[in-house]
Amino acid sequence: MSVLLGNGDGTFQTAKKIATPNLAPFGIVLADFNHDGHVDIAFATAGSNSVAIMLGNGDGTFQAPVTYQSGPFTTAVAVAEFDGDAALDLAVTNSSGGTISILKGNGDGTFQTAAVYPVGSGSSSIAVGDLNRDNAADLVVANSSSGTVSVLLAKGPGTFLPAVNYSVLPTAFGPEPYSVAIQDMNGDGQPDLIVARILTSQATDPGGISVLLGNGDGTFPSPVNYLANDSPDAVVAADLVGSHRQAVVAANRRSNDVSVLLGIAPGMTPSPSALSFPSVPAKTIGAVQSIQVTNSGLGVLHIAIAQAAGPNARDFEKVSDNCSGATVAAGASCAVSLRFFPKSVGSKTAALQITDDAAGSPQMISLDGTGLLRVPPTLPVGPSRNRDLSAPPPPPHLGPASVSSRLAGSSSPLAAEHRDGASSSPSGVAAEGQDAAYAVLDDAIRLIWSELLSGLDILIR
C-alpha cells in the first residue's frame, strides 16, 4: 500500500510504501474510526478473506493492520453509520461467496463479528445511500457473475431486508457489472444507480455504463445503457462543470483511458420574454398579465423562486405563481401572473427574476408600465338646488369712465374734485398716468375673475 501526502497545491510528495504482508489489498476507504481526529484506513483483503484496519498517527503514518474476518475473497469496502450509535460501521463484499458482511464498529477502532447477507454471485462493488428517503443507510451491490445489482434496504438498526436483484445485462452474454455508484442523475431528488459493466470472455460488446433511475421508494426500473470505452471497471458521478447536471466518469481497463459522460440538463424558456403593462393612473390597479415558463431542456427543471426585482419592483405585484418551488419535467410548463399597481406618477421598470438550476440562472424578464397623473374624480350629482346654479355675472368694468361715474355720485372731497374737473395732478400727463393705472387694475381683476369662474365651473360640473 502507498500513501502520497499532499502539498496543498494539487501536487503530491513521493509515495511512502506500507507493507501489508499476505493481505492482497483491494478496495479502500478513509475515516476516523476511533474518534481521535486522525484519519484511519480500512481496506478489503482478498488474500486473507478479511477487512483490515490501520489506525492513523496523525502525521501521515499508520499503525500495523488489524484484520477482521468477513468472508471469502473480500474485494470492496464501504463505511457508514448503520445502527445509530455514532460509531462508524463497515460493509464489505465477499466475491467468491456471493455475500456481503456488516461489521459494526465499537467507536474505538475495533469491530464486532461480521453479519452476513446473501446477494448475487460475484459481488465486487458496494455503495451506501438512502434509497427510499427514510433517513437510514441502504446498500447496493454490483454482482459481476450474476449480471445484477442487489439492493438491500435498511430494516432496523444495523440490519437489512433481503436483497432485491435487478438485471443490468443488455444481452444474455453482455459485459458484467463490476462497479456501482449512487447519485441523483436526472435532478428529480431521487437517488439513481450508475453501473460500470466490464468486458468478459463471452461478451459481445466492449462494455459500458448502465443507469437505473430511482423511483424514490428503493425500487428501480430497467436500466438505460450508454457506451463508454473498452471494459469500464470503476465509476463515479459528480457535477464536473457546475451546471447542476451530473456527469459519469468511468475508468476503462483495456483501453487504458477514462470516459466522461456529461448528463442531460434542463432549459428555461419564458413566454413572452417581456411584459409591457397599459398605463394607468397612479395608485390604480391595472390589468393582469402572465408569463409561462417552459422547461425546454431534457433534464428536470427545479425552480427556487420567481419574484419581482429592480428599482420599481413594488409597482408590479404577483397575483398567482405556481413556478416558485416547482419541479418542472422536460417539456412541461408553469406560470406567473402579475398586475401593474403604480404607487406614484412616472415610468416604472422592473424584472421578474426566476432562480432555477438551468443555465443562465437567474433569468430576468423585463417589466414596464407608466403611472399617470391622477385626475380628481367628478363630484356626485347633488340636490336640484346645486344643479341649478347659474354662473355669476361678469365682473364690472373698472375703466376710467366707470370710476368717474361712481365718483360723480359720491359726496367725498375726491368726488367733488372730480366733478369740478379739478385734479391733484399739475398737468394732463398725470391724468394719462391715472388712466393707465385704471387699465392695469381692470386687467388684473378680469384675470382673477376668470380663474374663479373656471374653478366654479369645475365644481358645478
Side-chain angles (χ1 to χ4, degrees):
M1 182 179 297
S2 297
V3 175
L4 291 81
L5 298 178
N7 296 316
D9 59 358
T11 64
F12 295 86
Q13 301 176 25
T14 303
K16 296 180 180 180
K17 296 182 180 180
I18 301 175
T20 56
N22 304 317
L23 293 182
F26 259 65
I28 187 170
V29 293
L30 303 177
D32 182 5
F33 293 112
N34 59 351
H35 302 288
D36 64 353
H38 301 151
V39 174
D40 309 315
I41 297 175
F43 61 94
T45 66
S48 66
N49 302 324
S50 64
V51 58
I53 304 298
M54 298 169 62
L55 298 179
N57 297 316
D59 58 359
T61 64
F62 296 85
Q63 300 177 26
V66 177
T67 59
Y68 298 86
Q69 290 298 306
S70 52
F73 206 77
T74 303
T75 56
V77 59
V79 60
E81 202 275 286
F82 293 124
D83 54 3
D85 63 356
L88 293 177
D89 310 312
L90 296 174
V92 300
T93 59
N94 308 307
S95 184
S96 295
T99 62
I100 64 167
S101 296
I102 305 297
L103 292 86
K104 294 182 180 181
N106 296 316
D108 58 359
T110 64
F111 292 84
Q112 301 175 26
T113 303
V116 179
Y117 293 84
V119 289
S121 59
S123 51
S124 55
S125 174
I126 190 167
V128 180
D130 184 3
L131 302 180
N132 57 354
R133 297 307 189 197
D134 63 353
N135 297 317
D138 307 310
L139 297 171
V140 58
V141 181
N143 308 305
S144 59
S145 298
S146 61
T148 62
V149 290
S150 298
V151 174
L152 294 88
L153 299 179
K155 178 182 179 181
T159 62
F160 296 87
L161 296 171
V164 176
N165 298 318
Y166 297 86
S167 175
V168 291
L169 290 181
T171 63
F173 298 101
E176 298 174 349
Y178 198 78
S179 177
V180 65
I182 301 172
Q183 186 61 268
D184 179 8
M185 297 304 296
N186 60 349
D188 65 353
Q190 312 298 349
D192 309 312
L193 306 182
I194 307 96
V195 184
R197 295 177 289 104
I198 194 171
L199 178 69
T200 63
S201 58
Q202 293 181 312
T204 57
D205 64 74
I209 303 298
S210 295
V211 177
L212 293 82
L213 299 178
N215 296 318
D217 59 358
T219 64
F220 297 86
S222 299
V224 178
N225 299 312
Y226 301 89
L227 291 176
N229 210 341
D230 200 344
S231 296
D233 65 355
V235 65
V236 293
D239 182 0
L240 299 181
V241 296
S243 61
H244 305 284
R245 53 176 174 165
Q246 301 296 322
V248 173
V249 181
N252 305 306
R253 179 187 299 183
R254 291 184 54 171
S255 56
N256 297 313
D257 55 21
V258 172
S259 296
V260 177
L261 292 79
L262 294 178
I264 57 177
M268 185 283 206
T269 302
S271 179
S273 57
L275 285 182
S276 290
F277 290 84
S279 300
V280 294
K283 299 183 180 180
T284 300
I285 296 175
V288 174
Q289 296 194 56
S290 299
I291 291 177
Q292 180 171 284
V293 176
T294 300
N295 180 0
S296 54
L298 298 176
V300 175
L301 175 65
H302 298 90
I303 301 177
I305 190 170
Q307 59 185 350
N312 306 121
R314 70 191 192 101
D315 296 308
F316 300 88
E317 300 180 346
K318 280 198 300 183
V319 176
S320 63
D321 174 13
N322 64 355
C323 287
S324 294
T327 298
V328 185
S333 301
C334 62
V336 179
S337 297
L338 305 101
R339 65 187 180 190
F340 182 44
F341 187 9
K343 307 303 187 294
S344 60
V345 175
S347 177
K348 309 295 181 182
T349 59
L352 179 64
Q353 177 178 292
I354 300 180
T355 304
D356 50 49
D357 59 354
S361 176
Q363 295 85 2
M364 309 295 285
I365 302 164
S366 63
L367 310 171
D368 67 79
T370 301
L372 302 175
L373 179 65
R374 187 178 180 88
V375 178
T378 57
L379 294 177
V381 176
S384 59
R385 64 178 180 274
N386 292 333
R387 295 198 304 270
D388 293 339
L389 286 176
S390 58
H397 181 68
L398 296 181
S402 175
V403 174
S404 299
S405 62
R406 288 175 180 268
L407 291 177
S410 173
S411 60
S412 68
L414 178 60
E417 182 180 357
H418 191 276
R419 286 192 301 270
D420 295 338
S423 174
S424 59
S425 299
S427 67
V429 175
E432 291 178 1
Q434 190 179 51
D435 291 343
Y438 287 142
V440 172
L441 179 60
D442 182 48
D443 291 340
I445 293 176
R446 283 181 176 278
L447 179 61
I448 295 172
W449 192 261
S450 176
E451 294 295 326
L452 289 173
L453 288 179
S454 297
L456 185 58
D457 184 61
I458 292 175
L459 293 175
I460 294 173
R461 286 189 285 115

